[in-house]
Amino acid sequence: MLKFDETLFLKLVEEEGLAFRGQIEEIVDGICQRGFSNLFLIGAGGTIAMMYPYEYILKSNSTIDVHAVIAAEFMAMNHKHFTKDSVCIFTSVSGTTQETVAAAEYCKAGGATTIALVAEPGTPLTRIVDHCITTGSEKHSFDTFFMLLYMVVFRFMHNRGEFPQYEQFTKEVALLPRAILQAVKVFDSRAEAFAVRHKDTAYHMMVGSGNLWGNTYSYAMCILEEMQWIHAKSIHAAEFFHGTLELVLEDTSVILLKGEDETRPLTDRVERFCEKITRELTVIDTRDFAMEGISGEFRKHFAVSINWAVLSRISVYLERERNHPLTLRRYYRQMEY
């Protein structure tokens, strides 16, 4: 596969990533023993998008009070649920994202407990927070972060007495890297075909819901817009029929992300509509991937990781077909703004 080192992937995500389980459990257990009032999942751009699935999971499976908030807005809004008893969780690949670092300082000053997942060691965010898990590599960092956030979130639920399946769940988390690897192999030819077909497509609609809404939002904004300079719009499947449907024509590219949670009927409805209108409907459905060894009960949660991994294969081929490196920027970190 183009730009995919299987050995490196397994080393970083399976071997090294899974080894953080003990550290995560120690951190979460200590917080739960002391007591806390709520969880704040804080990020900017791709990292707030990464938090949306876990907010959805908590809201649909737990009574823990949870808020996924955009870092800059959170600091500006005087959030009345934020107190010294809050637990604030951050992720950052570089550990230098300006808004995330500032939000971590803000939370620390407010007396809250802070946790971060960071790829790069010795960076500002790692030095601010109370608890930091440093993965050590930017490569496959999102795959690793997603996996570690499962451990964090479901440990909090387990300690609340709301997730007695925790031990079985973590056994299946350990199977996730191999499930991801198999999925990207299966999807790779589809990813390449999409990139070849759409290398000159000027606009994409991306539609998703439930725990795939974050991926929908992130891929449209962070990949298509930021990394490829392609016009894109992320649309929640529940809102698609309140405006956006009027822009669908026979040649409109609609990328529909289908997961396996309770909101799947919402994406089914969008699919039925788009099949009647556009010849450029692309459906990426996690049901198409085996996820060997993972039980039906947990597939809906792991759909987040599977979906992001296969979308990442499209990115690699768009980069090649469009001769547009994913690292190329006009403005981001190129100038003051």
Side-chain angles (χ1 to χ4, degrees), residues 47 91-98 100-101 117-126 137-138 141-142 145 332-333:
T47 57
T91 61
S92 176
V93 176
S94 68
T96 62
T97 307
Q98 182 178 351
T100 303
V101 170
L117 308 179
V118 183
E120 290 296 322
T123 49
L125 186 58
T126 67
S137 175
E138 290 190 6
S141 54
F142 268 46
F145 287 174
Y332 184 62
R333 300 197 183 213

Side-chain angles (χ1 to χ4, degrees), residues 194-300:
F194 177 92
V196 170
R197 183 178 182 91
H198 288 287
K199 63 182 180 179
D200 297 318
T201 298
Y203 172 65
H204 297 277
M205 293 181 181
M206 290 204 67
V207 186
S209 66
N211 63 18
L212 293 190
W213 168 243
N215 289 3
T216 310
Y217 175 75
S218 182
Y219 200 82
M221 179 174 65
C222 298
I223 307 301
L224 295 179
E225 291 182 339
E226 179 182 329
M227 297 185 183
Q228 286 295 295
W229 304 349
I230 298 171
H231 292 279
K233 177 176 173 61
S234 53
I235 309 115
H236 197 289
E239 290 288 275
F240 180 85
F241 295 98
H242 297 274
T244 306
L245 81 166
E246 292 295 341
L247 297 180
V248 181
L249 302 173
E250 64 178 10
D251 62 347
T252 303
S253 172
V254 179
I255 306 169
L256 180 62
L257 307 185
K258 298 187 70 173
E260 301 174 49
D261 63 40
E262 303 80 2
T263 69
R264 187 177 173 92
L266 304 178
T267 53
D268 287 340
R269 186 185 180 203
V270 174
E271 183 176 17
R272 289 193 299 269
F273 172 82
C274 290
E275 284 176 335
K276 299 174 185 176
I277 309 298
T278 179
R279 61 176 183 272
E280 298 297 344
L281 172 64
T282 302
V283 178
I284 302 174
D285 189 345
T286 61
R287 280 188 179 174
D288 293 338
F289 305 105
M291 297 193 217
E292 187 174 344
I294 293 173
S295 60
E297 180 182 8
F298 301 141
R299 283 182 61 99
K300 66 180 181 179

Side-chain angles (χ1 to χ4, degrees), residues 4 35 47 87 90 131 136 172 190 197 211 222 237 243 263:
F4 192 94
T47 57
V87 177
F90 305 86
H131 308 282
E172 296 188 23
R190 280 191 62 195
R197 183 178 182 91
N211 63 18
C222 298
T263 69

Side-chain angles (χ1 to χ4, degrees), residues 21 36 38 50 103-104 124 135 137 173 187 214 217 254 284 311:
R21 175 184 171 179
F36 68 98
N38 51 35
M50 172 176 283
T135 61
S137 175
V173 169
F187 188 76
Y217 175 75
V254 179
I284 302 174
L311 284 173

